[in-house]
Structures are given as C-alpha cells and as structure tokens.
Amino acid sequence: MKTAVYPGTFDPVTYGHTDIIERALKIFDKLYIVVADNPQKAATFTKNERVAMLKDSLKKHNSSIEVEYYDGLLLDYVKSKKSSVIVRGLRAISDFEFEFSRALLSRELEKYIETIFLMTKDDYAFLSSSIVKEIAMFHGSVRGFVPEVVERKLKEKFRK
Ligand code: ADP
C-alpha cells in the first residue's frame, strides 16, 4: 500500500488544502494528514477544532485518510506510520524557497524520506488560511474558499 504524510497547520483548512489532498489521493492509497503547530505563529483555532474541521471536510475520503494532531518531529511521525513520503503543496514561486530548504533539511536528517510537491489548481493559487481569516475578520464572504463547516466556524469565531 502506497502511503504519504501531508503536514500543515490547517488553521483553518481551505479548498487549497483539500485540492492538494485530492490530488495526493490519486497517487497514494492512504494519506496521513497531520495537524501541527507553527512555532512562529499562534493558531486561531485549537488543535481539536483544526482536526475536526479537516475530518468534516473530508468525509467522502474517510477510508483513505487519517487526520491527527502531532507535536513532535515530522520525520518521527512519518517513520511511526511506516511511510517514506511527505506531500507539500505549492501555490506560487514564493512558496518554493521555504519548501526547498525544508525538503533538503529533512533529506539530510533522513535520507530515505522523500518530499514531493503537488501544484494547486490555479483558482486557489492566491488562497491561504491567513487570507481567509482576514476576510472573515472583516465579515466578508469566504464562500468558495473554504468548506462549509469552516465557513460556519469562521462566522462564530469572528462574530460581531
Ligand atoms: P504550513 O504552516 O506548514 O505551511 P499550511 O496549513 O499553511 O501549513 O499549509 C500546509 C501545506 O499546504 C503547505 O505545503 C502549503 O504550501 C500548502 N497549501 C496551503 N494553501 C495552499 C493552496 N491554496 N494551494 C496549494 N497548497 C497550499
């Protein structure tokens, strides 16, 4: 069985993320989606909220995904799942430099683990969790950018 790990902050999950997940599922039989914390940024949603929104948004892929929170070293998580592939999404050239150095570092630490990059649908090239939160904060519409459950949670979070 071909498996891969897709890590991210998912604060919250957007259609950019689900697009990458659906592309990855065409290549891999099972995808471990791992919700992590970004030490540089305080999260808006709790880890349980982020996991729940992902699970809810990906119901139709239930049998081929696993979503969980992890706060250790990503490479250890990949090994614990007996996988050897990390999937990351690319939006624009601006993502490249960061992703490139991260992928090389992880290869340095663990040679057999490969990072692969999938390119988003061009409609989502501008989409990020931060943009979505900014729109929601000012009570704009995020329809078409995030799954329904996320739209609801954003409304609750940024209620007037
Ligand atoms: P991180 O803080 O680890 O970058 P994110 O949740 O922001 O976590 O993103 C997780 C992964 O999804 C990253 O590889 C990121 O580049 C990718 N990603 C985020 N938004 C999009 C998008 N709109 N299109 C394609 N990939 C995306």
Side-chain angles (χ1 to χ4, degrees):
M1 190 166 71
K2 283 189 288 178
T3 69
V5 173
Y6 179 42
T9 318
F10 303 108
D11 186 37
V13 56
T14 68
Y15 280 147
H17 296 124
T18 57
D19 180 67
I20 296 295
I21 291 166
E22 287 179 346
R23 285 173 201 282
L25 285 175
K26 290 186 196 154
I27 309 172
F28 298 98
D29 305 305
K30 178 142 200 155
L31 193 64
Y32 296 100
I33 301 165
V34 53
V35 175
D37 277 319
N38 180 344
Q40 325 290 343
K41 263 192 308 203
T44 304
F45 292 97
T46 67
K47 54 188 181 186
N48 290 338
E49 285 176 317
R50 285 179 278 153
V51 168
M53 285 187 278
L54 270 161
K55 283 188 176 163
D56 199 293
S57 313
L58 296 166
K59 271 189 200 135
K60 62 175 177 214
H61 300 295
N62 242 347
S63 56
S64 36
I65 58 158
E66 212 176 284
V67 184
E68 61 185 336
Y69 175 80
Y70 184 69
D71 66 358
L73 193 64
L74 177 64
L75 295 172
D76 289 337
Y77 180 86
V78 178
K79 285 186 226 166
S80 76
K81 295 296 175 190
K82 305 207 177 334
S83 185
S84 59
V85 181
I86 297 170
V87 170
R88 296 285 289 174
L90 284 181
R91 274 164 291 200
I93 299 172
S94 52
D95 279 341
F96 180 78
E97 204 171 328
F98 172 78
E99 295 293 346
F100 183 64
S101 55
R102 221 159 110 151
L104 288 186
L105 178 68
S106 96
R107 187 188 281 167
E108 195 59 39
L109 295 173
E110 207 53 80
K111 292 201 167 29
Y112 75 93
I113 297 180
E114 285 294 345
T115 306
I116 66 160
F117 298 96
L118 296 176
M119 255 175 296
T120 183
K121 188 171 176 210
D122 51 3
D123 292 3
Y124 303 137
F126 62 91
L127 195 54
S128 68
S129 301
S130 349
I131 283 283
V132 159
K133 284 186 279 187
E134 208 172 305
I135 298 172
M137 202 178 285
F138 295 108
H139 312 293
S141 169
V142 293
R143 183 146 306 164
F145 300 154
V146 294
E148 248 171 68
V149 57
V150 177
E151 204 179 324
R152 257 184 283 124
K153 292 287 284 182
L154 282 166
K155 274 197 186 130
E156 276 168 33
K157 185 76 73 185
F158 298 113
R159 198 167 276 153
K160 278 180 218 176

